[in-house]
Amino acid sequence: AETMLNRCLQIASRRIGPRVFSMHLQPVYTYAAHISRPICFLQRMQSRALSTDECGPGLGERAKIATANALMKSLLSSTNGFDAAFNGLSIVRMGDGDIVCSLDVDKRLENPFNALHGGAICTLVDFAGTLALMTQDPTRPGVSVDLSVSFMSSAKAGDTLDIRGKVLKMGKKLGFTEVEIYNKETGRLIASGRHTKYFS
């Protein structure tokens, strides 16, 4: 796990420059350590996180997004299972309690009627809700206890999805999120969902 994480973080470092990248190791390694479970790994990788003012307006935010994308893509592409179908998912914007992602629909995500599968939509609600919660606390992705989705319209292979997740409430034991999925080209709402997670 540590080798894989180091590899994807090196990719991010090359893309955004080593100086800016080094300013944001702490939140990334906190996130990485929780997913891969080696607690000692997090303890060994302490680093100081500087303000975005020290590296120019917006540059720190872009650094965090580039690093989070490198980590997420490495994790999704490391499996031949169900999650591999979502390895095109990318984070566009991260805020405090909200996140925007983008995904190009491909044939792997379609149902027999050549439309985006309802199960894929539910998975995107899970992903985006979890990522939104982790913008507030990257050490607590939680486990799902409830997920509901309303399907408004369809999408097909070749469409680009605009996926917007936000935290409605985050407590000590439960986190509540809302996710909306749009067709990026038409602006049409495809689905809307609510996702609740439990923190141990």
Side-chain angles (χ1 to χ4, degrees):
E2 184 171 339
T3 301
M4 181 187 72
L5 293 170
N6 281 328
R7 184 169 67 251
C8 69
L9 292 171
Q10 287 169 3
I11 294 171
S13 178
R14 288 197 297 271
R15 288 180 179 176
I16 64 178
R19 178 176 174 272
V20 174
F21 175 77
S22 66
M23 296 176 183
H24 300 281
L25 282 177
Q26 178 64 52
V28 174
Y29 274 106
T30 300
Y31 173 69
H34 184 82
I35 290 179
S36 56
R37 303 295 179 183
I39 302 302
C40 60
F41 178 52
L42 173 61
Q43 293 171 342
R44 293 201 309 269
M45 299 304 300
Q46 297 299 319
S47 178
R48 183 166 61 96
L50 303 181
S51 70
T52 55
D53 293 337
E54 298 187 44
C55 50
L59 195 54
E61 185 66 20
R62 292 199 300 274
K64 290 180 181 179
I65 291 173
T67 307
N69 272 319
L71 177 60
M72 182 172 67
K73 288 181 184 301
S74 179
L75 292 171
L76 290 176
S77 62
S78 67
T79 175
N80 293 321
F82 179 71
D83 286 352
F86 297 89
N87 59 12
L89 184 69
S90 62
I91 298 169
V92 177
R93 180 171 58 81
M94 297 169 63
D96 183 15
D98 68 88
I99 196 155
V100 177
C101 300
S102 179
L103 177 68
D104 293 331
V105 179
D106 66 27
K107 286 292 185 181
R108 295 176 298 172
L109 299 177
E110 287 189 329
N111 62 24
F113 304 101
N114 298 317
L116 179 62
H117 199 293
I121 291 174
C122 291
T123 301
L124 290 171
V125 171
D126 185 345
F127 282 171
T130 301
L131 289 170
L133 288 169
M134 294 183 74
T135 63
Q136 294 194 331
D137 187 346
T139 68
R140 296 203 300 168
V143 293
S144 299
V145 295
D146 184 69
L147 189 149
S148 62
V149 179
S150 297
F151 303 96
M152 313 294 185
S153 59
S154 63
K156 62 184 184 304
D159 289 344
T160 300
L161 305 180
D162 183 29
I163 306 148
R164 307 172 190 176
K166 66 177 180 180
V167 176
L168 299 176
K169 181 181 179 181
M170 189 168 183
K172 292 182 179 179
K173 291 295 184 181
L174 291 174
F176 302 87
T177 66
E178 182 178 64
V179 177
E180 293 180 329
I181 301 173
Y182 294 87
N183 183 306
K184 188 173 183 178
E185 285 76 20
T186 66
R188 187 175 68 248
L189 179 63
I190 294 171
S192 145
R194 293 286 183 101
H195 188 206
T196 305
K197 305 204 78 173
Y198 170 77
F199 309 122
S200 57

